[in-house]
Amino acid sequence: MKLLRLLFVSALIIACQSEKKEDKKEVINPPIAKKIPKELTSHGDTRIDDYFWMRLSDEQKNADNPDDQTQDVLNYLNAENDYLNEVMQHTEVFQDRLFNEIVGRIKKDDQSVPVTDNGYSYYTRYEEGSEYALYCRKKITENAEEEIILNGPKLAKGYSYYGIGSQDVSPNNKLMAYGIDTISRRQYTIFFKNLETGELLNDKLSNTGGSATWANDNKTVFYTTKDPQTLRQNKIYKHVLGTDQASDVLVYEEKDDTYRCGVFKTKSRDYLMIGSFQTLSTEYRFLKADNPDGNWQVIQPRESDLIYYADHFGDDFYIRTNRDATNFKLVKTPIKKPSKENWTDIIGHREDVLLENFDLFKDHLVTAERLNGLRTIRVLPWEGKDYYIEFKDPAYTAYPTSNLDFDTNILRYTYSSLTTPNSTFEYNMDTKEQALLKQENVLGGFSSDDYTSERFEVTATDGTKIPVSMVYKKGISIGSETPLLLYAYGSYGNSTEPTFRSDRLSLLDRGFIYAIAHVRGGQEMGRQWYENGKLLKKKNTFTDFIDVGKYLVDKGYTSSEHLYAMGGSAGGLLMGAIVNMEPSLWNGIIAAVPFVDIVTTMLDESIPLTTFEFDEWGNPKDKTYYDYMLSYSPYDNVEAKAYPNMLITTGYWDSQVQYWEPAKWLAKLRDMKTDNNILIMDCNMETGHGGASGRFERHKRTALYYAFLFNLEGIED
């Protein structure tokens, strides 16, 4: 009887504690955004946007004294951050532990592999505890002393965000131009430094793309500026040192607002190039680098659906192009007669191989190709038989990198897999001997042998085979209770590479499987893989991802109660689409800087990035595209139904996906969803699309991601 009484009392105590926990949860009330209905009408169709008021102009965001609307937006975003902190408060200690665990794997006094360029060896190195790098060089002579040409920790001191752009050294090695962004909107100011004296020049170029291209006279640079509203790189100026920016000469203006432009120098250093880029078309102009005041010439005038990229070797331009070649081919053309009528094939088109890039050497041509969904490297001696470098992992990436020296038989390339840390090799293209220069040093007793990677295919609804890359720790029990995080991007032809990340070990070591769905919209399986995942075929990206998720459940890798999905930016649009289409398939979603209000954004050409993305998504001013985009737009398709647990992130200064898109989406989800699942947003008020600028600080958000997942899985350590 006494035992029964004790059991009854214990049960009562537990019940009371449970009630108190429930009461505590009820006290945490999420912010409820006010509604100000705004009618948006296109093609006779009217949408009501209750949260359009959240959009602020750049002038409002930068004003010293916020107006009423700005204050309302700030109050709402801060309230969401407060709510996030309340909901995740019980994980704060765990987040700190995860953060320390993640950064604890990073070598604090690390140094990059030196790169040889014009008589100097350039590298970056970190000192113990520094968030930012020291940019250094040494002369390629015996016992040469280190020169710190840019002191990142010193420059960044006092800034909440400090983005260092390109560092461009003059041909005589005496001067350097470098770009700085302290707002996180990728509008850089270019400064000039005398590398012999360490002094800054008076020259300063504002609102630039972040890099400067030197002519061979060591006093003239070319640079891009941005439209201050849309941030489109649309003008290229010539600047002569010692003059004011206001007197710089406009050498090119890209007036077609579906294009952006840039300027660079060929590997030979003989020519300057201006490129105009659009999703489906490019155009290049060239000028002898010894003659910066000369007249620019067009290689091949722009045409719809004609993409090409040019570099220089000898008397010819070598060009990668899609002309009569869906997967691209390599041609060459005389400098004196560069137009397409004179292009001759060097490497013809192949149906099963995507030509991604090429690199020119004195005695060799090197191509980066994609075969069966994986990157590979091909070496083609100008005289002799070509061959491929062999790699063994089932899922990996490999590509040439930092090959600035033309007169060499040494190729430098990077290799990584889901179980192999980033590794830099030097490869002798004549003897096929190679040497490992550096492999990412993962501290804490890491061993590749403790992990297993797989690669397999999933048959999509329409019969297409979707590649999947997967990694997990050996010895874990795989079944319906196994947590699995599925990732994808699937846009712009950007392929998601199966590479190593040391921060991912915190997931794998706690029993998670990590998988990548190589969905259409990327370019893993060739150019058609991209073509079949954009415009009026965009939904293939979403259904591919869902089909992979269902396969993983059906094959017993996990279950819907333990399946999670993650994507960022355009991959965040993917997250928004799949939760509308198959909300019950996922237990949790991480949508990072998600592009979710696609119709409204693409109708507004004043928003950065809109105009030159019509070829990716379609122009909703055309009713065909409007109807199709509206049918999958995450924001427009939120419904009164149950949604999975969700963590959304954004940055107040994001210029690529403006903060109001995820903020509006969150508000609408919270208003309409019928479940009691977690819905939270982390809005970093000091950063933009890429998050924090410091190499350690950025992992605080990673720790938040993982704490969110572990909390849903009941993992507390």
Side-chain angles (χ1 to χ4, degrees), residues 373-390:
L374 294 171
R375 277 182 160 181
T376 188
I377 300 172
R378 185 183 181 193
V379 179
L380 302 94
W382 294 120
E383 296 182 4
K385 185 174 175 55
D386 67 288
Y387 61 89
Y388 287 91
I389 300 176
E390 295 184 0

Side-chain angles (χ1 to χ4, degrees), residues 379-411:
V379 179
L380 302 94
W382 294 120
E383 296 182 4
K385 185 174 175 55
D386 67 288
Y387 61 89
Y388 287 91
I389 300 176
E390 295 184 0
F391 306 106
K392 296 179 180 179
D393 284 301
Y396 69 88
T397 187
Y399 52 91
T401 180
S402 304
N403 292 291
L404 304 180
D405 191 357
F406 172 75
D407 189 10
T408 181
N409 66 346
I410 301 297
L411 170 73

Side-chain angles (χ1 to χ4, degrees), residues 313 330 346-348 350 355 357-369 377-389 411 427 429-430:
F313 176 37
L330 186 68
I346 300 297
I347 299 176
R350 293 157 292 173
L355 177 62
N357 210 338
F358 68 95
D359 211 337
L360 300 167
F361 296 85
K362 179 182 177 183
D363 297 319
H364 301 85
L365 165 67
V366 174
T367 58
E369 301 179 357
I377 300 172
R378 185 183 181 193
V379 179
L380 302 94
W382 294 120
E383 296 182 4
K385 185 174 175 55
D386 67 288
Y387 61 89
Y388 287 91
I389 300 176
L411 170 73
Y427 183 88
M429 293 183 281
D430 293 326

Side-chain angles (χ1 to χ4, degrees), residues 119-145:
Y120 279 82
S121 178
Y122 290 85
Y123 57 96
T124 59
R125 65 178 178 85
Y126 288 93
E127 294 184 336
E128 185 82 26
S130 291
E131 291 274 3
Y132 297 89
L134 297 168
Y135 296 79
C136 310
R137 73 175 185 177
K138 289 182 181 179
K139 286 185 178 179
I140 305 177
T141 57
E142 192 173 351
N143 300 320
E145 292 186 3

